[in-house]
Amino acid sequence: MLGTGSALAQVATDASPLTFTGSTEEKRFHALVSELRCVMCQNQSLADSNAQIAVDLRREVLQLMRQGKSDAEIKDFLVARYGEFVLYRPQVESKTWLLWFGPAVVLLAGGFIVAGAVRHRSRRSATTTPDERNEEQEW
């Protein structure tokens, strides 16, 4: 019963929706909050989350925008407060190289392994006699 109550306490009731001064501000806001991760809900952006902290952060992002902060300054503010977890696309740094370039390295390594296996097999079939090829095909 207590767990249900605390789960309900997480859901925000957004009594006063955000109002924008223009379509440019609204587009910038939506682009920015879609790149930021909710610190409470994993795998939800700040724009998609209904958690109370996401509602509060959306209001804070809009407030920072109206103070004249750039997108980078707003992201830096949130990273300083919550860590890089808040960014969906972490910055390319020495500690995030594996995250950014790891899949490409694995793909290249797989390509080299497949190319090596194909090359080895073609050399082997070129050096074998027709009788040896027949023996290999029998099993």
Side-chain angles (χ1 to χ4, degrees), residues 10-80:
Q10 301 294 324
V11 177
T13 54
D14 197 2
S16 59
L18 297 174
T19 56
F20 301 99
T21 57
S23 64
T24 305
E25 183 184 63
E26 186 175 358
K27 284 180 184 175
R28 180 179 168 213
F29 173 80
H30 287 298
L32 189 57
V33 295
S34 66
E35 289 183 10
L36 298 169
R37 185 188 316 262
C38 175
V39 294
M40 174 79 69
C41 309
Q42 293 194 358
N43 295 327
Q44 278 191 324
S45 71
L46 209 54
D48 297 334
S49 177
N50 289 327
Q52 182 63 47
I53 193 165
V55 172
D56 294 341
L57 285 176
R58 284 194 295 261
R59 291 187 188 285
E60 190 156 358
V61 166
L62 184 60
Q63 190 177 29
L64 291 170
M65 284 173 52
R66 289 184 175 158
Q67 290 174 0
K69 304 279 185 188
S70 69
D71 290 356
E73 289 173 330
I74 293 170
K75 287 178 184 176
D76 289 344
F77 173 78
L78 292 174
V79 166

Side-chain angles (χ1 to χ4, degrees), residues 42-139:
Q42 293 194 358
N43 295 327
Q44 278 191 324
S45 71
L46 209 54
D48 297 334
S49 177
N50 289 327
Q52 182 63 47
I53 193 165
V55 172
D56 294 341
L57 285 176
R58 284 194 295 261
R59 291 187 188 285
E60 190 156 358
V61 166
L62 184 60
Q63 190 177 29
L64 291 170
M65 284 173 52
R66 289 184 175 158
Q67 290 174 0
K69 304 279 185 188
S70 69
D71 290 356
E73 289 173 330
I74 293 170
K75 287 178 184 176
D76 289 344
F77 173 78
L78 292 174
V79 166
R81 201 181 225 185
Y82 300 106
E84 289 198 24
F85 172 79
V86 76
L87 299 175
Y88 262 118
R89 286 184 285 160
Q91 298 171 353
V92 178
E93 297 174 346
S94 62
K95 62 183 177 184
T96 60
W97 283 359
L98 187 61
L99 177 69
W100 281 100
F101 304 113
V105 169
V106 169
L107 186 65
L108 281 173
F112 283 123
I113 290 171
V114 169
V118 168
R119 186 177 301 151
H120 176 73
R121 189 173 195 154
S122 66
R123 278 190 210 148
R124 189 172 162 198
S125 66
T127 59
T128 56
T129 62
D131 291 337
E132 292 173 335
R133 284 188 214 139
N134 287 338
E135 288 177 14
E136 287 179 5
Q137 291 177 355
E138 287 180 8
W139 77 254

